[in-house]
Amino acid sequence: MAMGNAHPDLPVSIEFFPPNTPVGSEKLKTVVQELSVLKPEFFSVTYGAGGSTREKTLATVRDIAAAGFEAAPHLSCVGSTREGIAEILRTYRAQGIRRLVALRGDLPSGTAVAGEFRYAAELIRFIRETQGPDWLIEVAAYPEYHPEQRYARRDLQHFADKVRAGANSAITQFFFNPDAYFHFVDEVRAMGVDVPIVPGVMPFHNFSRVAQFAARDGIEIPRWVALKMEGFMDDAASIRAFGLDVVTKLCERLIAGGAPGIHFYALNQSALTLEIGRRLGFGTTKVD
């Protein structure tokens, strides 16, 4: 598929999870360097349920910062205390980190204690009240609504609460239906929310794995995409080529509709994100 219009000025960000092994950490350093050609605004790093990957998240953020790139750690409040959050923020501040992705987060399996914060809005309010304005806070958005939320209107209100608590911008859960994103943006704009809402995009690294994520989180994979993917059986080359075309076209539709950037869920791999970014012209030099 030929590259479409170049988008060198559109912000790109890329998400990783903290590796579990030293080998994984070394591999991720290589992935960061490979993806740096897309000139990402920042790399975000996830945070396990109940803070279970806290030290690994910090180590990954340090590695990204040491390589000269901006890192944005996820920070979840479920199971956390105010003092615990304050300690984490002091650590990040000492590392020169000023961007966060603030989330409610998931409880670890078998845990029933929510901690001192119930919602991400409370975490954001705490950060603003105790730390001031010098953090750039990203929050999550759910174009197809949060899987635990029965009522769409209530989910929209939770999102608006996070922004009013002090969030600077938002990153969406991944999706494959661009109309869901545009509808969500229209809905929250009508509520007076004006922060940038960056669509999150998941390349088809592995169709069955992505389908599992989608089923878990209530994300629709278009039937025609799923049937075609399943029809390829074990034809890895066809799955890769088709997946690249689907996600590239999704990105083009989002950009044409006014999306303020693209956030890639890279799953600690570079190849597909790099290829989609190249097709979209990310990282190219603007020619006057």
Side-chain angles (χ1 to χ4, degrees), residues 91-240:
T91 301
Y92 285 139
R93 188 179 283 278
Q95 296 289 320
I97 303 298
R98 286 293 183 282
R99 187 189 293 261
L100 297 167
V101 182
L103 307 162
R104 188 200 70 175
D106 299 317
L107 280 169
S109 180
T111 302
V113 179
E116 295 184 32
F117 302 94
R118 289 175 302 162
Y119 302 110
E122 295 176 356
L123 171 62
I124 296 161
R125 200 169 293 114
F126 172 76
I127 294 170
R128 290 300 185 213
E129 288 173 356
T130 62
Q131 298 272 322
D134 68 335
W135 290 90
L136 204 165
I137 301 177
E138 309 273 355
V139 292
Y142 299 89
E144 292 173 303
Y145 307 112
H146 194 284
E148 293 178 18
Q149 185 53 259
R150 183 177 175 187
Y151 300 107
R153 173 57 52 179
R154 194 171 295 166
D155 193 51
L156 292 169
Q157 190 58 56
H158 281 315
F159 179 73
D161 290 346
K162 291 188 289 190
V163 174
R164 288 168 187 147
N168 298 98
S169 56
I171 299 167
T172 77
Q173 173 64 283
F174 76 90
F175 58 89
F176 298 101
N177 179 354
D179 291 329
Y181 167 80
F182 293 126
H183 179 72
F184 179 86
V185 172
D186 287 345
E187 291 270 275
V188 298
R189 294 288 183 253
M191 298 172 72
V193 174
D194 61 359
V195 299
I197 300 171
V198 176
V201 171
M202 176 79 80
F204 282 106
H205 306 283
N206 173 303
F207 178 70
S208 61
R209 188 178 181 191
V210 172
Q212 285 175 348
F213 291 156
R216 179 195 68 195
D217 294 333
I219 295 162
E220 175 200 3
I221 296 179
R223 188 168 181 268
W224 69 274
V225 172
L227 288 173
K228 194 155 185 176
M229 282 287 191
E230 290 160 7
F232 287 132
M233 305 285 284
D234 296 324
D235 182 353
S238 293
I239 290 170
R240 184 182 189 278

Side-chain angles (χ1 to χ4, degrees), residues 42-54:
F42 64 91
F43 294 103
S44 64
V45 183
T46 62
Y47 193 74
S52 57
T53 65
R54 174 180 163 179

Side-chain angles (χ1 to χ4, degrees), residues 55-74:
E55 296 306 318
K56 291 173 184 171
T57 297
L58 175 57
T60 305
V61 164
R62 282 175 172 155
D63 286 345
I64 291 169
F69 305 105
E70 184 170 358
H74 285 210

